[in-house]
Amino acid sequence: MTPSQRVRAGLEAGFAKLSEVDDFMDELPQTPPRPLDNDGDEERLGDVTFTHRFADAPGDGETVRWHYVEAGPPDGPVVVFLHGVPDSWWQWHYALEAFGSEYRCLAIDLKGYGQSEKGTGDFRQEGVAVQLEALLEQLQIERFSLITHDRGTPVGDHLVALMGDRVLRYGRGQQHLWHLSPDLHPQQAMFTSPDAPSMLAGSWPPPTSCSPSAG
């Protein structure tokens, strides 16, 4: 099905705006990337101290290196946060500040994001959920509440299916239950177009950041 004239016009206007964004980005000064974190590094958000953690857990014939941030009392009720695209644990830093005085909060960099594993292996949503289950088992998380957003939500759906008897509450945010229809979501064509802006190219940290020697 060919996109309607209204959709085509919207795409063309979107590409024009993205070109303006590219020009604006070129004018900005270069900002050095944030240094990689190490296990045990601490930061402060308001009255809450949060700690960077790295853990290796079983994967699909591999060992998956996870990065997550932990805040709150070790014996508090556990809340696990899964971010969306193109984010990392940082998406939840206000939530950690708000709840970290009472709850044990775990904001995890999903596989392929932030400082978590970016090597070969199973990156299917169901596969990542199985690997997250292995991480939570390793961290001895018995019962927890789950909060998700965007692309973290399909992974969260599979995780709840695997561990439903241990999930106290599930805050499911902004993601489809089924595959998107390209007729209703033309932004996919924009993202995959050769005219996509340079801001979609590259990532930080680079893939080598998840090797055992990095943190």
Side-chain angles (χ1 to χ4, degrees), residues 37 39 43 45 52-53 67 70 74 81 86 99 105 114-116 123 127-128 132 152-153 166 170 178 186 194 208:
D37 297 295
D39 188 70
E43 296 188 49
L45 283 175
H52 292 269
R53 297 294 188 194
H67 169 250
E70 185 171 16
F81 297 90
F99 298 111
C105 300
Q115 295 179 71
S116 285
F123 279 83
V128 173
L132 273 174
T153 296
R166 294 161 63 176
Y170 181 20
W178 308 103
T208 54

Short mmCIF file of all heavy atoms in Angstrom, two decimals, residues 37 39 43 45 52-53 67 70 74 81 86 99 105 114-116 123 127-128 132 152-153 166 170 178 186 194 208:
data_model
loop_
_atom_site.label_atom_id
_atom_site.label_comp_id
_atom_site.label_asym_id
_atom_site.label_seq_id
_atom_site.Cartn_x
_atom_site.Cartn_y
_atom_site.Cartn_z
N ASP A 37 31.92 4.11 33.49
CA ASP A 37 31.79 3.88 34.93
C ASP A 37 32.46 2.57 35.32
O ASP A 37 32.67 1.67 34.49
CB ASP A 37 30.31 3.84 35.31
CG ASP A 37 29.62 5.17 35.05
OD1 ASP A 37 29.98 6.15 35.71
OD2 ASP A 37 28.73 5.21 34.17
N ASP A 39 32.48 -0.59 38.42
CA ASP A 39 31.64 -1.21 39.44
C ASP A 39 31.92 -0.57 40.80
O ASP A 39 33.08 -0.47 41.23
CB ASP A 39 31.93 -2.71 39.51
CG ASP A 39 30.95 -3.43 40.42
OD1 ASP A 39 29.78 -3.52 40.03
OD2 ASP A 39 31.36 -3.88 41.50
N GLU A 43 27.21 8.08 42.63
CA GLU A 43 26.80 9.43 42.26
C GLU A 43 25.67 9.85 43.18
O GLU A 43 25.06 9.02 43.86
CB GLU A 43 26.37 9.50 40.80
CG GLU A 43 27.49 9.18 39.81
CD GLU A 43 27.08 9.44 38.38
OE1 GLU A 43 26.54 10.53 38.11
OE2 GLU A 43 27.30 8.56 37.53
N LEU A 45 22.02 11.99 43.56
CA LEU A 45 20.86 12.65 42.98
C LEU A 45 20.00 13.15 44.13
O LEU A 45 19.35 12.37 44.83
CB LEU A 45 20.05 11.69 42.11
CG LEU A 45 20.60 11.36 40.73
CD1 LEU A 45 19.75 10.29 40.06
CD2 LEU A 45 20.64 12.59 39.85
N HIS A 52 26.81 2.43 40.58
CA HIS A 52 26.93 1.69 39.32
C HIS A 52 27.40 0.27 39.61
O HIS A 52 28.33 0.05 40.39
CB HIS A 52 27.94 2.38 38.40
CG HIS A 52 27.48 3.71 37.90
ND1 HIS A 52 26.78 3.86 36.72
CD2 HIS A 52 27.61 4.95 38.43
CE1 HIS A 52 26.50 5.14 36.54
NE2 HIS A 52 27.00 5.83 37.56
N ARG A 53 26.74 -0.68 38.94
CA ARG A 53 27.08 -2.08 39.12
C ARG A 53 27.27 -2.77 37.76
O ARG A 53 26.63 -2.40 36.78
CB ARG A 53 25.97 -2.82 39.88
CG ARG A 53 25.73 -2.33 41.29
CD ARG A 53 26.93 -2.60 42.19
NE ARG A 53 26.64 -2.29 43.58
CZ ARG A 53 27.58 -2.19 44.51
NH1 ARG A 53 28.86 -2.41 44.21
NH2 ARG A 53 27.24 -1.90 45.76
N HIS A 67 25.18 -3.78 32.83
CA HIS A 67 25.41 -2.59 33.65
C HIS A 67 24.07 -2.12 34.18
O HIS A 67 23.09 -2.06 33.43
CB HIS A 67 26.06 -1.46 32.84
CG HIS A 67 26.09 -0.15 33.56
ND1 HIS A 67 25.30 0.93 33.18
CD2 HIS A 67 26.78 0.28 34.64
CE1 HIS A 67 25.53 1.95 33.99
NE2 HIS A 67 26.42 1.58 34.89
N GLU A 70 21.95 1.07 40.96
CA GLU A 70 21.17 0.66 42.12
C GLU A 70 21.08 1.81 43.11
O GLU A 70 22.06 2.52 43.34
CB GLU A 70 21.84 -0.55 42.77
CG GLU A 70 21.07 -1.16 43.91
CD GLU A 70 21.67 -2.47 44.38
OE1 GLU A 70 22.84 -2.76 44.03
OE2 GLU A 70 20.96 -3.21 45.09
N PRO A 74 19.11 -1.76 50.82
CA PRO A 74 19.23 -3.13 50.30
C PRO A 74 18.06 -4.03 50.68
O PRO A 74 17.75 -4.98 49.95
CB PRO A 74 20.54 -3.63 50.94
CG PRO A 74 21.29 -2.39 51.30
CD PRO A 74 20.27 -1.36 51.63
N PHE A 81 13.57 -1.21 36.64
CA PHE A 81 13.22 -0.27 35.57
C PHE A 81 13.89 -0.70 34.27
O PHE A 81 15.10 -0.93 34.24
CB PHE A 81 13.67 1.15 35.93
CG PHE A 81 13.02 1.74 37.14
CD1 PHE A 81 13.58 1.57 38.41
CD2 PHE A 81 11.85 2.48 37.04
CE1 PHE A 81 12.99 2.12 39.54
CE2 PHE A 81 11.25 3.03 38.16
CZ PHE A 81 11.82 2.85 39.40
N PRO A 86 16.07 5.85 22.43
CA PRO A 86 17.44 5.32 22.41
C PRO A 86 18.13 5.59 23.75
O PRO A 86 19.21 6.19 23.78
CB PRO A 86 18.08 6.13 21.29
CG PRO A 86 17.44 7.51 21.45
CD PRO A 86 16.04 7.27 21.99
N PHE A 99 12.18 7.64 44.43
CA PHE A 99 11.83 6.42 45.16
C PHE A 99 13.01 5.79 45.89
O PHE A 99 12.82 4.86 46.68
CB PHE A 99 11.24 5.39 44.19
CG PHE A 99 9.98 5.84 43.53
CD1 PHE A 99 9.95 6.12 42.17
CD2 PHE A 99 8.82 5.98 44.27
CE1 PHE A 99 8.79 6.54 41.56
CE2 PHE A 99 7.64 6.40 43.65
CZ PHE A 99 7.63 6.68 42.29
N CYS A 105 15.93 0.32 44.09
CA CYS A 105 15.67 0.55 42.68
C CYS A 105 16.83 0.01 41.84
O CYS A 105 18.00 0.29 42.13
CB CYS A 105 15.51 2.03 42.39
SG CYS A 105 14.15 2.82 43.29
N GLY A 114 23.70 1.51 26.45
CA GLY A 114 24.51 2.00 27.56
C GLY A 114 25.81 1.24 27.68
O GLY A 114 26.56 1.10 26.71
N GLN A 115 26.07 0.71 28.85
CA GLN A 115 27.31 -0.01 29.09
C GLN A 115 27.08 -1.52 29.25
O GLN A 115 27.95 -2.23 29.73
CB GLN A 115 28.01 0.56 30.33
CG GLN A 115 28.45 2.01 30.12
CD GLN A 115 29.12 2.59 31.35
OE1 GLN A 115 30.23 2.23 31.70
NE2 GLN A 115 28.43 3.50 32.02
N SER A 116 25.90 -1.99 28.84
CA SER A 116 25.64 -3.42 28.85
C SER A 116 26.17 -4.07 27.57
O SER A 116 26.62 -3.39 26.64
CB SER A 116 24.14 -3.70 29.00
OG SER A 116 23.71 -3.46 30.34
N PHE A 123 19.52 -11.31 20.69
CA PHE A 123 18.99 -9.98 20.96
C PHE A 123 17.48 -9.92 20.74
O PHE A 123 16.91 -8.84 20.75
CB PHE A 123 19.68 -8.93 20.07
CG PHE A 123 21.03 -8.49 20.58
CD1 PHE A 123 22.16 -9.24 20.31
CD2 PHE A 123 21.16 -7.35 21.34
CE1 PHE A 123 23.40 -8.85 20.78
CE2 PHE A 123 22.39 -6.94 21.82
CZ PHE A 123 23.52 -7.69 21.54
N GLY A 127 14.48 -13.44 24.00
CA GLY A 127 15.78 -13.89 24.43
C GLY A 127 16.39 -12.98 25.49
O GLY A 127 16.99 -13.46 26.47
N VAL A 128 16.25 -11.68 25.31
CA VAL A 128 16.77 -10.74 26.30
C VAL A 128 16.05 -10.91 27.63
O VAL A 128 16.65 -10.79 28.70
CB VAL A 128 16.66 -9.29 25.78
CG1 VAL A 128 17.05 -8.30 26.86
CG2 VAL A 128 17.56 -9.10 24.56
N LEU A 132 17.62 -11.55 31.18
CA LEU A 132 17.33 -10.71 32.34
C LEU A 132 16.87 -11.56 33.52
O LEU A 132 17.23 -11.26 34.68
CB LEU A 132 16.24 -9.69 31.99
CG LEU A 132 16.71 -8.37 31.38
CD1 LEU A 132 15.49 -7.54 30.95
CD2 LEU A 132 17.55 -7.58 32.36
N GLY A 152 11.59 -1.17 26.07
CA GLY A 152 11.76 -2.02 27.23
C GLY A 152 10.50 -2.78 27.57
O GLY A 152 10.54 -3.78 28.30
N THR A 153 9.37 -2.36 27.02
CA THR A 153 8.09 -2.97 27.37
C THR A 153 7.90 -4.36 26.78
O THR A 153 7.46 -5.27 27.50
CB THR A 153 6.93 -2.03 26.98
OG1 THR A 153 7.04 -0.84 27.76
CG2 THR A 153 5.58 -2.66 27.23
N ARG A 166 6.37 -13.89 40.58
CA ARG A 166 7.27 -13.11 41.44
C ARG A 166 7.16 -11.61 41.20
O ARG A 166 7.85 -10.83 41.84
CB ARG A 166 8.71 -13.58 41.21
CG ARG A 166 8.92 -15.01 41.69
CD ARG A 166 10.14 -15.67 41.10
NE ARG A 166 11.37 -15.01 41.48
CZ ARG A 166 12.58 -15.46 41.14
NH1 ARG A 166 12.69 -16.57 40.44
NH2 ARG A 166 13.67 -14.81 41.51
N TYR A 170 3.14 -4.38 37.72
CA TYR A 170 3.75 -4.14 36.42
C TYR A 170 3.22 -2.83 35.86
O TYR A 170 2.05 -2.73 35.50
CB TYR A 170 3.44 -5.30 35.48
CG TYR A 170 4.05 -5.20 34.09
CD1 TYR A 170 5.14 -4.37 33.83
CD2 TYR A 170 3.53 -5.94 33.04
CE1 TYR A 170 5.69 -4.29 32.56
CE2 TYR A 170 4.06 -5.88 31.76
CZ TYR A 170 5.16 -5.06 31.53
OH TYR A 170 5.69 -4.97 30.27
N TRP A 178 1.60 -5.86 19.43
CA TRP A 178 1.90 -6.57 18.20
C TRP A 178 2.83 -5.72 17.34
O TRP A 178 3.11 -4.58 17.64
CB TRP A 178 0.60 -6.90 17.45
CG TRP A 178 -0.40 -7.59 18.32
CD1 TRP A 178 -1.51 -7.04 18.89
CD2 TRP A 178 -0.34 -8.94 18.78
NE1 TRP A 178 -2.16 -7.95 19.67
CE2 TRP A 178 -1.47 -9.14 19.63
CE3 TRP A 178 0.53 -9.99 18.58
CZ2 TRP A 178 -1.73 -10.35 20.24
CZ3 TRP A 178 0.25 -11.20 19.20
CH2 TRP A 178 -0.86 -11.36 20.01
N PRO A 186 4.77 5.56 9.68
CA PRO A 186 5.72 5.80 8.58
C PRO A 186 7.10 6.25 9.05
O PRO A 186 8.01 6.38 8.24
CB PRO A 186 5.03 6.90 7.77
CG PRO A 186 4.17 7.61 8.77
CD PRO A 186 3.68 6.54 9.70
N PRO A 194 18.43 6.53 3.72
CA PRO A 194 19.82 7.03 3.64
C PRO A 194 19.93 8.50 3.99
O PRO A 194 21.03 9.00 4.23
CB PRO A 194 20.20 6.76 2.17
CG PRO A 194 18.90 6.60 1.44
CD PRO A 194 17.95 6.02 2.43
N THR A 208 33.21 -1.90 22.35
CA THR A 208 34.29 -2.47 23.16
C THR A 208 34.15 -2.16 24.62
O THR A 208 34.84 -2.74 25.45
CB THR A 208 35.65 -1.93 22.67
OG1 THR A 208 35.61 -0.49 22.67
CG2 THR A 208 35.95 -2.41 21.26
#
